[in-house]
Amino acid sequence: MMSWILAAAWAADPAPVRDQVDWPSVHLETRETLAKYLQIDTRNPPGHERLGAEFLTAILDREGIPWKIYGEDPERPNLVARLTATDPKQSPLCLMHHLDVVGWEEAGWADETGPLSGTVKDGFLWGRGALDMKGMGILELQTLLLLKRMELPLDRDVILLAVSDEEIQNTGAETLAKSWAEIGCSHMINEGGFGVDGGLFTGQVLHGISVAEKGVLWFDLVANGAPGHGSTPRPGEAPTTLLAAVDRLESEPSRHRLTPTTKAFFRAIGEHKGGFTGSVLKNPALLRMFAWKKLLANPAAKAMLTDTRHVTALHADGGSPNVVPSEARATFDMRLLPGVSPEDAKHSVERRLEGYGVRVEVRQQLTGNGSPQDDPLFRAIAKYAVEGEPRAVAAPMLSIGFTDSIVLREKGVHAYGYIPFVIDRDLLGSMHGDNERVPLSELERGLIRLFSIVVDQAVRGE
């Protein structure tokens, strides 16, 4: 197992450590391992993450890396594998990913490159989870294997976390949070950002590092009324009441705000861009004067500046055009800027809809939170994300989605979201969509980026 590793030159500087690795052999192993991982069906619902965890634990057992399972449901385990430092100087560093993936529509995928294929074609590795986030999971696993095989002296434990149910309810992260005193990580790398070629400007590669996440309020608007025959419209019917309430809520204008994270995001991009455009991005007043309308016209940029409110589903118990159901529901996904509590957002919705005859039923709520930018792990991620790439800039980012980090930051963890692949907008859109895939070249570069970050943060200098 050590045949492709030369004698290690131990140092906290990643460069001499990287020089000891036979990267072509490691990259081939990484590709083959990820292909097998993608072939395991862990779509959520229903999950069955046990299958993914068993795949990982078989590799960990082969390599002699100890692991433990947390959680009561054997089909939905949470895996914790640990490399232990002999003389720890810092608290542990966690590398996190989720075992589950979202589902798919078969019609959007070709048979040869289907969601469970793990196929290599046209310079890509295809399959659901290649980007979100089995690809990252195998980079994390491979980083652990390199640390173990090279016998690098750690000054902190390095822990792999592979959790269940991130895509629906975060139950895996919540399970780990209950045992966080035992796990003990002060710092964590998770999902939340990528390198995006042309992310904001053509010719610039933007590495967004998520340091904060919006809060979440998922709720149903529920209307009730007397059932009846569809041939005779009557006042107070549930569908009509619901549609009036939805229209009222959707007519409320969005409020825009620059958070400290978003200011830092534009400032970092502006410093790299330079010129007049750079000056505008670095100055909030100029940003509002010259770029605000353009930013608000971009859905992703607008979501970083506003509390978003999105109707995602309409439900009714009818089924026949001539039957008026007694209940109708509209499901909303609200994402809230840091500083806005889900409770306040719910009360605001209720005030807006007073007199409309509907009620609000909360499905899930999470308060937005963040981690400091002035932190050694953030600086290491930013450094190695752009190493040797003059076109690239790393910037702290407010994630418009949410991840398991939002749960574990409540335990005091400094969590940073960064998957070390550079992709374009087309590939970014394949997450949760059709034809998800990762470039083989970025699978290779991404492993080197992640390995460099972890060596910088966890290997003792000699």
Side-chain angles (χ1 to χ4, degrees), residues 200 212-216 254-259 261-262 265-266 292-310 333-338 340 397-402:
L200 198 59
E213 299 181 10
K214 296 178 79 173
V216 176
S254 299
R255 291 176 293 178
H256 315 128
R257 178 162 59 91
L258 275 171
T259 66
T261 299
T262 308
F265 174 78
F266 288 122
W292 206 244
K293 288 184 179 180
K294 186 174 182 179
L295 289 171
L296 294 179
N298 181 305
K302 183 177 181 180
M304 292 177 63
L305 302 171
T306 64
D307 297 326
T308 57
R309 182 181 53 251
H310 192 189
D333 181 346
M334 288 189 71
R335 305 298 174 108
L336 310 170
L337 294 173
V340 179
M397 183 181 73
L398 170 65
S399 176
I400 59 177
F402 75 93

Side-chain angles (χ1 to χ4, degrees), residues 39-334:
Q39 292 165 0
I40 300 171
D41 188 352
T42 57
R43 79 186 91 173
N44 185 13
H48 296 311
E49 292 95 337
R50 171 184 60 83
L51 300 173
E54 288 177 348
F55 173 77
L56 297 177
T57 56
I59 297 172
L60 294 167
D61 285 342
R62 185 188 72 205
E63 300 286 337
I65 298 175
W67 52 270
K68 182 176 179 179
I69 294 295
Y70 292 78
E72 298 179 358
D73 186 344
E75 286 297 318
R76 314 211 69 179
N78 302 285
L79 170 65
V80 179
R82 184 186 299 259
L83 286 181
T84 303
T86 55
D87 184 22
K89 306 298 183 184
Q90 306 178 66
S91 54
L93 169 65
C94 275
L95 309 178
M96 185 181 216
H97 79 282
H98 55 83
L99 294 157
D100 58 326
V101 299
V102 297
W104 54 83
E105 297 180 5
E106 295 283 355
W109 298 69
D111 291 339
E112 184 181 357
T113 55
L116 294 175
S117 66
T119 296
V120 173
K121 183 180 180 182
D122 300 330
F124 296 90
L125 184 53
W126 300 69
R128 176 61 86 221
L131 297 174
D132 184 19
M133 69 174 299
K134 288 182 176 179
M136 179 63 166
I138 295 306
L139 298 192
E140 294 170 344
L141 174 68
Q142 198 71 54
T143 295
L144 239 66
L145 301 188
L146 285 170
L147 295 175
K148 176 72 161 53
R149 292 169 180 175
M150 298 175 76
E151 301 179 349
L152 294 172
L154 302 177
D155 68 2
R156 68 198 306 176
D157 292 1
V158 179
I159 298 175
L160 173 69
L161 304 180
V163 301
S164 295
D165 195 29
E166 188 276 341
E167 294 290 0
I168 303 295
Q169 288 189 315
N170 303 96
T171 57
E174 290 169 355
T175 296
L176 292 184
K178 296 174 183 176
S179 301
W180 204 250
E182 178 181 340
I183 296 167
C185 290
S186 62
H187 289 75
M188 184 171 73
I189 302 174
N190 190 21
E191 63 181 337
F194 283 93
V196 181
D197 197 348
L200 198 59
F201 296 105
T202 300
Q204 185 185 67
V205 178
L206 173 57
H207 292 263
I209 305 167
S210 173
V211 301
E213 299 181 10
K214 296 178 79 173
V216 176
L217 177 63
W218 289 349
F219 66 91
D220 284 352
L221 282 187
V222 186
N224 292 101
H229 198 286
S231 65
T232 309
R234 292 180 172 85
E237 293 174 337
T240 305
T241 298
L242 179 67
L243 290 175
V246 170
D247 184 63
R248 169 65 170 165
L249 198 57
E250 289 294 273
S251 67
E252 182 179 7
S254 299
R255 291 176 293 178
H256 315 128
R257 178 162 59 91
L258 275 171
T259 66
T261 299
T262 308
K263 290 178 183 178
F265 174 78
F266 288 122
R267 184 168 59 247
I269 297 170
E271 289 175 353
H272 182 266
K273 180 69 175 175
F276 175 75
T277 300
S279 297
V280 169
L281 292 173
K282 290 187 292 183
N283 186 311
L286 294 177
L287 187 67
R288 290 179 180 275
M289 184 181 302
F290 292 106
W292 206 244
K293 288 184 179 180
K294 186 174 182 179
L295 289 171
L296 294 179
N298 181 305
K302 183 177 181 180
M304 292 177 63
L305 302 171
T306 64
D307 297 326
T308 57
R309 182 181 53 251
H310 192 189
V311 182
T312 56
L314 298 171
H315 321 264
D317 294 332
S320 176
N322 65 344
V323 175
V324 178
S326 63
E327 182 175 283
R329 293 173 175 260
T331 298
F332 279 81
D333 181 346
M334 288 189 71

